[in-house]
Amino acid sequence: MENSRASLFKAAAVAAIGLTAIFVMLVQDPLDTLFGGGYPELWRRTGLARAPTRAAACIFAGVFLLAMGWLYRLLFAPLELLRGVDEVGYIAEDGRSRAQAANEVRRRRKTGELPPVYPNGWYRVLDSHMLERGDVKSVTVLVPEFAKVRCWPSREINGLVLVWFHCDGLEPSWKVPEQSEITRGEWVYRGRTEHFINAHIEEIPENAADIAHLAHLHTPGIVSGVDLRYTNSKTWEFIRHDWKVEWKAEPEPNEHCSQMLVKHALTVFGRHWPLLDLDVKARQVGPGLVFLLFEHSFLGRGVIMHCVTPVEPLLQCVSHTIFYQNSIPPLVPKFILRAECIQFERDVMIWNNKTYISKPMLVKEDSAIQKHRRWFSQFYSENSPQLRYQHDTLDF
């Protein structure tokens, strides 16, 4: 999938050239009339009759329109970063492409003793704004063992279109909570990101309980990028993120929910910048939905909805959709989403290259991982689909 920014840049370039040509054609006759038939003479006297000068004027106008379009998108348009299957998390070496590197990783991956591949729960299929009234779209999620026609329970809420999956065909046993600020229009859509990850679905939410990985992966500043070979570079070590995280399951009647409380602090040259301190409450609802709630005295309030949807047994579509206070300049939530994307793509490199271990050796600091696995197991049932075997492709 081509990066949306590159596509929009190409479209803007074509539009700028076209608009410049239309502008020249539209103004020629009116100006000719305005100057009493002396418009060509005016061009001659001012030097604009020369072809190089006219070309330069057209180029200037085109560059100006491009700059205005870029500035508008930066300040007002939603941020949309859509990554392809092989765009993130793979290292292309020895003349190989990223696609070849991704395929090689998939071929040599051992499945291990995997849990069922499709937990029971609500899953995002797409964002509401992607489906106009009366439209029909084809979406591939949860690849089944055999094709059959049935009606899937669905719901549109919080700007998302969700479907309910249960291996035994049971009706939904819990609801997705409504974010009232979105319903009332107080928080508006400011963008989304999308990634495809080669991992078991349980690996992704388990990150919330893996507190020890924060220091290695997420302490380096976001300016260090996403390639884990270079994030600890001394060039950028003057910027550091400090994290304090706590994960816990919720009691009945919300046992299908869990919470992660995150405290973030930023240090620059060893000095703490309290203005950028941020408290985030992450609430996971079922196996595939997480609400990341932001609240800051200066930056305002909003939510990132982190959605994990199985496309295939070991291929997950992960989206982050941000809604933010409409009174806050769009540049603020777009920066937050971009920063989240950078931190997330560091995890993608791990997920794409790791093997699920059913009984890992854990130290005391990793105790939350085992608690998380016990909590997550409630979304499996006796008939939940299993990955039977894997060769070069996924077979069922």
Side-chain angles (χ1 to χ4, degrees), residues 109 197-198 203 207 344 347-354:
R109 165 172 280 163
I197 299 173
N198 272 291
E203 300 267 25
N207 223 40
F344 180 76
D347 288 306
V348 173
M349 182 170 277
I350 300 293
W351 287 322
N352 279 351
N353 293 279
K354 72 179 295 189

Side-chain angles (χ1 to χ4, degrees), residues 133-205:
R133 185 177 296 275
D135 281 357
V136 176
K137 285 199 174 185
S138 174
V139 180
T140 301
V141 297
L142 301 160
V143 181
E145 293 190 14
F146 52 89
K148 61 181 179 180
V149 178
R150 59 165 295 183
C151 180
W152 296 87
S154 61
R155 188 181 184 193
E156 183 177 4
I157 187 172
N158 302 327
L160 303 175
V161 178
L162 308 173
V163 296
W164 169 263
F165 169 83
H166 195 286
C167 63
D168 298 317
L170 300 182
E171 291 298 310
S173 55
W174 42 268
K175 296 180 179 179
V176 175
E178 179 183 45
Q179 196 70 46
S180 59
E181 294 88 345
I182 297 177
T183 306
R184 295 196 301 263
E186 297 172 9
W187 293 357
V188 294
Y189 173 75
R190 293 303 188 195
R192 70 185 175 101
T193 64
E194 185 175 270
H195 297 80
F196 290 89
I197 299 173
N198 272 291
H200 188 279
I201 184 175
E202 191 175 319
E203 300 267 25
I204 298 172

Side-chain angles (χ1 to χ4, degrees), residues 75-358:
L75 295 177
F76 303 108
L79 172 66
E80 296 196 340
L81 297 174
L82 311 180
R83 306 298 198 194
V85 176
D86 56 3
E87 283 191 58
V88 179
Y90 298 104
I91 299 174
E93 294 179 325
D94 303 324
R96 296 176 302 167
S97 67
R98 281 182 300 192
Q100 290 171 325
N103 286 330
E104 183 176 329
V105 169
R106 285 194 285 265
R107 279 195 299 268
R108 69 169 181 257
R109 165 172 280 163
K110 297 179 180 178
T111 59
E113 298 178 22
L114 292 175
V117 291
Y118 298 150
N120 303 319
W122 287 101
Y123 294 103
R124 166 196 174 268
V125 290
L126 45 76
D127 291 2
S128 297
H129 74 272
M130 299 166 62
L131 187 66
E132 298 292 337
R133 185 177 296 275
D135 281 357
V136 176
K137 285 199 174 185
S138 174
V139 180
T140 301
V141 297
L142 301 160
V143 181
E145 293 190 14
F146 52 89
K148 61 181 179 180
V149 178
R150 59 165 295 183
C151 180
W152 296 87
S154 61
R155 188 181 184 193
E156 183 177 4
I157 187 172
N158 302 327
L160 303 175
V161 178
L162 308 173
V163 296
W164 169 263
F165 169 83
H166 195 286
C167 63
D168 298 317
L170 300 182
E171 291 298 310
S173 55
W174 42 268
K175 296 180 179 179
V176 175
E178 179 183 45
Q179 196 70 46
S180 59
E181 294 88 345
I182 297 177
T183 306
R184 295 196 301 263
E186 297 172 9
W187 293 357
V188 294
Y189 173 75
R190 293 303 188 195
R192 70 185 175 101
T193 64
E194 185 175 270
H195 297 80
F196 290 89
I197 299 173
N198 272 291
H200 188 279
I201 184 175
E202 191 175 319
E203 300 267 25
I204 298 172
E206 191 173 284
N207 223 40
D210 186 7
I211 299 172
H213 89 285
L214 291 170
H216 178 70
L217 256 65
H218 302 299
T219 293
I222 58 174
V223 291
S224 301
V226 302
D227 192 327
L228 300 184
R229 297 173 296 174
Y230 311 116
T231 50
N232 281 306
S233 169
K234 292 187 178 296
T235 304
W236 303 106
E237 65 179 3
F238 63 91
I239 301 178
R240 311 293 284 178
H241 300 281
D242 294 321
W243 307 90
K244 291 184 179 179
V245 178
E246 178 186 354
W247 178 89
K248 62 180 180 180
E250 294 188 19
E252 295 183 358
N254 296 320
E255 63 273 15
H256 59 279
C257 300
S258 67
Q259 291 188 21
M260 181 176 71
L261 305 178
V262 181
K263 291 185 177 293
H264 167 266
L266 181 70
T267 58
V268 181
F269 291 109
R271 182 179 178 181
H272 176 215
W273 289 62
L275 183 63
L276 295 178
D277 285 356
L278 192 63
D279 290 347
V280 180
K281 179 181 177 181
R283 189 183 193 215
Q284 179 158 358
V285 182
L289 299 173
V290 180
F291 294 79
L292 298 163
L293 292 165
F294 295 84
E295 186 165 358
H296 193 275
S297 58
F298 176 70
L299 299 178
R301 301 172 63 237
V303 63
I304 292 179
M305 286 175 287
H306 163 102
C307 305
V308 185
T309 303
V311 180
E312 298 174 1
L314 295 180
L315 181 64
Q316 317 302 323
C317 176
V318 182
S319 68
H320 292 84
T321 304
I322 189 168
F323 283 81
Y324 221 79
Q325 274 182 275
N326 54 19
S327 59
I328 299 295
L331 201 59
V332 171
K334 289 166 66 174
F335 173 78
I336 292 174
L337 181 62
R338 189 69 180 91
E340 167 69 17
C341 180
I342 291 173
Q343 294 285 13
F344 180 76
E345 288 185 357
R346 293 180 183 178
D347 288 306
V348 173
M349 182 170 277
I350 300 293
W351 287 322
N352 279 351
N353 293 279
K354 72 179 295 189
T355 299
Y356 181 90
I357 300 176
S358 59

Side-chain angles (χ1 to χ4, degrees), residues 1-13 73 80-81:
M1 184 184 299
E2 186 178 10
N3 189 292
S4 59
R5 182 177 296 176
S7 300
L8 288 168
F9 180 82
K10 293 176 184 176
R73 283 198 55 77
E80 296 196 340
L81 297 174

